[in-house]
Amino acid sequence: MTLSNTLATLMDSAREHFEVSQKLSIANLISLFNPNPNLLTGTKDFSGSWERIGSWKKEDEKYRGLTVYSKSTAWDGLGQYYDSKPNTTYTFSFYAKASKPTDKFMDIFMLPSEDWNSPVIAWPIYANLPLTIDWKRFSWTITTTGGGKILPSLCSTNSDATIYVCGYKLEEGSLPTPLTKVNGVEAKTLK
């Protein structure tokens, strides 16, 4: 086996293990094994300051050691503000599932600061995701146009099914890397 075949096999394996859909460059592969820090705090158990957490239900179930929150009504996205830097690419990733398969969507919002007239990111500020009954890691990448607060958050736009979320991660860069530390505490590497 040649070196390039070995690297291609390694990158395919890493892509599958870390649930990364795009082709990996060697730099991307290295970043998977040296994950970026999570810029959000309290993501293992949703401790600290979380927007609209009172509208969500804390579940007894944990997923990969992470506290799970659920919601069966529309809107009131669960998220945490972050002071972003100008002209910087960020990736927001998380785990989610639904109580039943639905062709309806869960929305990811990357809301600009509270002043909607001077957003720090370009539109669109949301993406729609279909959910199944199985846990899956999702990600969404945006680039800021100016510095300021952003609010990566998740909500349902319908009440057809209960959505379950956990493992939020906001990081610099365009590729989601594994969540290996939560609040400085070692966690099981998540794929």
Side-chain angles (χ1 to χ4, degrees), residues 139-150:
S139 67
W140 191 42
T141 300
I142 59 100
T143 299
T144 58
T145 56
K149 288 189 182 293
I150 56 174

Side-chain angles (χ1 to χ4, degrees), residues 7 18 24-26 36 49-50 52 62 118 130 142 166 182:
L7 285 173
F18 293 118
L24 294 174
S25 67
I26 292 176
N36 294 325
S49 179
W50 289 88
R52 294 176 289 283
K62 288 191 180 257
S118 59
I142 59 100
C166 67
V182 181

Side-chain angles (χ1 to χ4, degrees), residues 20-22 28 36 87-94 108-111 120-129 137-145 150 152 154 169-177:
V20 175
S21 60
Q22 65 261 45
N28 293 148
N36 294 325
N87 305 311
T88 304
T89 299
Y90 292 97
T91 297
F92 176 45
S93 59
F94 54 91
I108 307 173
F109 282 91
M110 191 72 78
L111 297 176
V120 296
I121 57 175
W123 290 82
I125 60 167
Y126 67 94
N128 303 121
L129 301 173
R137 185 174 184 211
F138 294 91
S139 67
W140 191 42
T141 300
I142 59 100
T143 299
T144 58
T145 56
I150 56 174
L154 302 173
K169 182 175 183 179
L170 180 68
E171 60 190 301
E172 285 189 29
S174 60
L175 184 71
T177 63

Side-chain angles (χ1 to χ4, degrees), residues 6 28-29 38 42 72 81 112 123 125 142 150 157:
T6 302
N28 293 148
L29 180 64
N38 192 348
S72 57
Y81 278 105
W123 290 82
I125 60 167
I142 59 100
I150 56 174
T157 54

Side-chain angles (χ1 to χ4, degrees), residues 17 24 29 31 48 51 53 60 73 80 99 109 141 158 177 180:
H17 177 76
L24 294 174
L29 180 64
S31 74
E51 296 297 310
I53 197 164
D60 292 334
T73 58
Q80 184 179 97
S99 59
F109 282 91
T141 300
N158 67 77
T177 63
T180 56

Side-chain angles (χ1 to χ4, degrees), residues 46 52-61 67-73 76 78 162-165:
F46 289 96
R52 294 176 289 283
I53 197 164
S55 299
W56 289 67
K57 177 186 175 199
K58 182 179 178 181
E59 295 291 328
D60 292 334
E61 166 195 18
T67 298
V68 173
Y69 270 77
S70 67
K71 193 159 188 328
S72 57
T73 58
D76 289 331
L78 177 59
T162 301
I163 62 170
Y164 300 86
V165 300

